[in-house]
């Protein structure tokens, strides 16, 4: 909290002493109060999202189709109402984005095709090692695999599988909408874009702690293992959240983070230990290293804002008085 009220605020208040932010000219609350409003709004969204999963009382585990269907209903309602929180934040702070709310949240047509394809390609490059591992361990060849992927019957089975719908469609769409598209516009004027990339995922990581209660309730493992697993999950969900926040800011679109989220849910965390013991571990580990190297090399070029048109969050910060946000160029 203190960090949000300190260095982040100086990005807007000290770096441009000769130019008052537009929100100040409109007679809005001071920057300290604006930051508290932003943080409280993000906390409210995170609590509402997680709370919506528990409005249904059930003795069944989370993967039961009946539980998943009920949670679909509640989480879709909360996600649909989440833009209202951004509207309320705008009214309370007096910050005028200079663009429509939907555009600010990444719903726009300009640059949509590169925004859908390039971040997904970048993420697949990062997962080059796991993709090689998957192909090596798959009993079918490439032609058979493509037939299965392209078969309408396969997609029909997926669309009737509640777990698949949750992991590949509903969770990526609603989580990116709430934790990126709604939270980043509220945090960025307070912290600046760079700190927002690392602040926003903290809400996302903490939101996954609710799995602890379900695991303890159904005694799925020992208490120590459950908390160790939760700490690990918080770490990688926070890192992943920072990555998709970066993509959201650099592309100005929601579709890229959603597709990357869905892909990562499908792949899961890379099985590095299995790769170390794999019969073909040398080419496999080379694939892991090559994927990480290419990812770092292509991260900036494939997310160059020039590929995606004007960036709504950058426009927002320019109107707030910060015209030199490094992620905007």
């Amino acid at each position: 909290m203190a960090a949000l009220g300190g260095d982040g605020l100086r990005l807007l208040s000290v770096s441009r002493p000769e130019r008052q932010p537009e929100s100040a000219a409109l007679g809005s609350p001071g920057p300290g109060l604006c930051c508290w409003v932003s943080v409280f709004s993000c906390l409210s969204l995170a609590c509402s999202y997680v709370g919506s999963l528990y409005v249904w009382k059930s003795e069944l585990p989370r993967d039961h189709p009946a539980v998943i269907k009920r949670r679909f209903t509640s989480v879709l309602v909360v996600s649909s109402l989440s833009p209202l929180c951004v509207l309320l934040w705008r009214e309370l702070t007096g910050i005028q984005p200079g663009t429509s709310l939907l555009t600010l949240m990444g719903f726009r047509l300009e640059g949509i095709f590169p925004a859908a394809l390039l971040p997904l390609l970048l993420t697949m490059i990062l997962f080059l090692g796991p993709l090689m591992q998957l192909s090596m361990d798959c009993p079918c060849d490439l032609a058979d695999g493509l037939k299965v992927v392209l078969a309408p019957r396969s997609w029909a089975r997926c669309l009737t599988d509640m777990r698949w719908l949750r992991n590949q469609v509903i969770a990526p769409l609603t989580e990116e909408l709430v934790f990126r598209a709604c939270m980043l516009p509220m945090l960025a004027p307070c912290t600046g874009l760079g700190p927002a990339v690392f602040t926003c995922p903290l809400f996302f990581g903490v939101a996954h702690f609710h799995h602890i209660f379900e695991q303890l309730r159904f005694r799925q493992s020992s208490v120590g293992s459950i908390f160790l697993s939760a700490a690990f999950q918080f770490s990688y969900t926070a890192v992943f959240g920072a990555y998709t926040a970066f993509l959201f800011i650099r592309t100005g679109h929601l579709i890229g983070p959603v597709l990357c989220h869905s892909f990562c849910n499908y792949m899961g965390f890379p099985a590095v230990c299995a790769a170390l013991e794999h019969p073909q571990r040398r080419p496999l580990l080379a694939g892991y290293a090559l994927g990480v190297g290419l990812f770092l090399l292509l991260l900036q070029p494939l997310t160059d804002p020039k590929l995606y048109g004007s960036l709504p969050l950058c426009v927002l910060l320019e109107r707030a008085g910060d015209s030199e946000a490094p992620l905007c160029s």
Side-chain angles (χ1 to χ4, degrees), residues 58-129:
S58 175
E59 297 300 322
L60 299 172
R62 65 185 295 266
D63 288 335
H64 193 281
V67 174
I68 295 176
K69 288 179 182 179
R70 291 173 181 173
R71 289 184 169 186
F72 277 1
T73 302
S74 55
V75 82
L76 285 172
V77 169
V78 169
S79 301
S80 300
L81 295 176
S82 60
L84 296 178
C85 187
V86 185
L87 280 175
L88 180 60
W89 164 84
R90 187 181 67 180
E91 294 302 317
L92 290 175
T93 60
I95 294 175
Q96 299 301 318
T99 185
S100 70
L101 180 64
L102 288 178
T103 300
L104 187 66
M105 293 172 58
F107 294 96
R108 61 195 188 103
L109 294 177
E110 182 187 17
I112 190 170
F113 292 110
L117 296 176
L118 296 182
L120 181 58
L121 174 62
L122 183 65
T123 307
M124 293 177 72
I125 290 172
L126 176 62
F127 277 78
L128 178 61

Side-chain angles (χ1 to χ4, degrees), residues 178-213:
V178 171
F179 291 94
R180 247 65 72 185
C182 289
M183 290 190 182
L184 280 170
M186 294 190 291
L187 286 173
C190 168
T191 65
L193 289 180
V197 167
F198 298 101
T199 304
C200 186
L202 298 180
F203 298 98
F204 183 60
V206 170
H208 285 76
F209 275 142
H210 71 94
H211 294 311
I212 295 177
F213 303 108

Side-chain angles (χ1 to χ4, degrees), residues 120-153:
L120 181 58
L121 174 62
L122 183 65
T123 307
M124 293 177 72
I125 290 172
L126 176 62
F127 277 78
L128 178 61
L131 286 171
M132 288 176 57
Q133 192 171 349
L134 188 63
S135 65
M136 289 176 179
D137 296 338
C138 182
C140 58
D141 59 22
L142 179 61
D144 291 336
L146 288 176
K147 288 179 182 179
V148 172
V149 170
L150 299 176
R153 187 174 297 177

Side-chain angles (χ1 to χ4, degrees), residues 209-289:
F209 275 142
H210 71 94
H211 294 311
I212 295 177
F213 303 108
E214 293 187 349
Q215 292 172 353
L216 289 173
R217 179 183 174 189
F218 292 101
R219 301 285 188 231
Q220 295 179 354
S221 183
S222 65
V223 174
S225 297
I226 289 173
F227 278 95
L228 185 62
S229 174
F232 177 72
Q233 188 179 40
F234 170 80
S235 300
Y236 78 75
T237 52
V239 170
F240 172 78
Y243 173 56
T244 55
F246 176 84
L247 292 177
F248 181 83
I249 292 171
R250 294 275 288 180
T251 66
H253 283 272
L254 182 62
I255 188 170
V258 170
L259 292 177
C260 293
H261 193 146
S262 181
F263 173 77
C264 290
N265 277 0
Y266 173 76
M267 293 298 297
F269 193 81
V272 180
C273 293
L276 291 172
E277 299 175 357
H278 200 277
Q280 302 183 56
R281 66 175 177 273
R282 287 189 178 180
L284 195 53
L285 293 177
Y288 269 82

